Amino acid sequence: MAVNSALASDPLLRLRHAIASNHPAVPTASEERPASNDPGLDLNLAIATHLHFVEPDRRAFPLNTLTRFVSSDQAVDLRSIYFAWQKKDVAIPDYIASAQRLNEGLSAPGGAGGKVQNLVFVERLDLITWLEGASDESEYIKPLESEAAGASATGAAPSAAGAAGAVATAASGAPATRPVKKLNPRLAEIYNGERRMGDRNTVLRGIKPTDYSHVRKIAETFLGRSRGRPGQPTTSSAGAAANAALVSLPKKPGRRPDPIILLSPSASSLLRMSNIKSFLESGTYLPADSALAGSSNSANILHISRVLPSIDPTRPLRFILVDTPEQFKPDYWSRVVAVFTTGQTWQFKSYKWQQAPDLFRNVLGVYVGWRGEEVPSTVKGWGRGVVSTAVEKWNHLVGAQGRWRDREVVEGIWGSIEENMRSRGWAKEGGPIVR
């Protein structure tokens, strides 16, 4: 069978043809192909010296052969091309790590020598797209000599439109078997004046993916400022002090922020995620590890609703209950209205205010212990910023039926939360005033 001269001599075209015909190339230690076609005989690229093809005829190319693919103005060898194709489906960090391991194997005793070139993301994407046949163009592949000579003879314009009208794009490396059309000189002049648009591979150029997450964070700052109360000064003439005051104003009416209550994650806490809902909603204390507790210990967020008459007598506020601030955004701390504590200071290590005196100057503290037991000295030392209450110890014989005194404790806690929220600026139409 006659073989096209370009396909016979060009390793890039050979590899593309092998992929399209589903006859994969095989790395070998010599020009001879093993007798069996079992893929298990494929050698590691670290010790292989040749790449063997079986279609359209048997031919082996040395893996250190320089190809027409260019990276940083340097021709890339066949080993690097084949390695990039092998790793086409892996992530960038895995590809880089694999290239480092292969280079170590090449330089080790028994290795084939040389070094595999690590292609950047755009180059690798462009190469894989071309090898798969999804694109006939590649800005990184030099044209075949025969195509370059034909293009110069016909005076084809270098623009994308001119190339499409005259011959197949020189950079594609497609077999030069199609007839070459002569381009009208007038058309060539028009094509030369056109603006080159390129394709998705040439437009999306760059050495690595760009992370724009920082832009979103900056945008949130400006968007937050735009939600201030109407009628407040926003011009630069108001000065830095006016801008700072504008940011601290409550949001526009219509979307009141949900207040947040933080629980203690301590296993010794009487109130945890499993029983806090029944306690604050129903006014009944249930042991946290009891089957009677309505919520699951695995829940990481809960919601309860409560009408606070002095803030909004008609519409209940929805409270968010969490036991960790791990998912907090900076502005969430202004919405924290209460912190349930056991007196253990390690609870505050991840808080905005890590020292208890600072914390309870800004947020109401709530300590709930057993009735008849002494309040810890650490809690007493935190002063009026912490409300100390106590509930009756759980009696398994009586169960929930005898918990009528819990309601009084719960109402006292809600009263303290409501008073603290009102003093911080919570109102019917908005959240707290940030100081």
Side-chain angles (χ1 to χ4, degrees), residues 6-7 36 58 66 74 86 92 100 112 135 173 213 219 221 225 238 271 277 300 317-318 322 333 358 419-420 429 432:
L7 186 60
S36 172
R58 291 184 177 272
L66 296 180
Q74 298 291 329
Q86 283 186 319
I92 294 176
Q100 292 175 346
S135 172
S213 60
T221 303
R225 293 177 179 179
L271 296 172
K277 193 174 179 70
N300 54 16
L317 284 85
R318 190 180 77 152
V322 293
W333 284 104
D358 296 333
E419 180 181 354
N420 182 264
E429 301 297 345

Side-chain angles (χ1 to χ4, degrees), residues 79 86 91-92 121 163 203 206 247 277 287 327 333 352 369 382 394 421:
R79 190 191 309 272
Q86 283 186 319
I92 294 176
F121 174 78
V203 171
V247 175
K277 193 174 179 70
Q327 304 298 325
W333 284 104
K352 175 181 178 180
W382 293 337
W394 178 259
M421 289 177 63

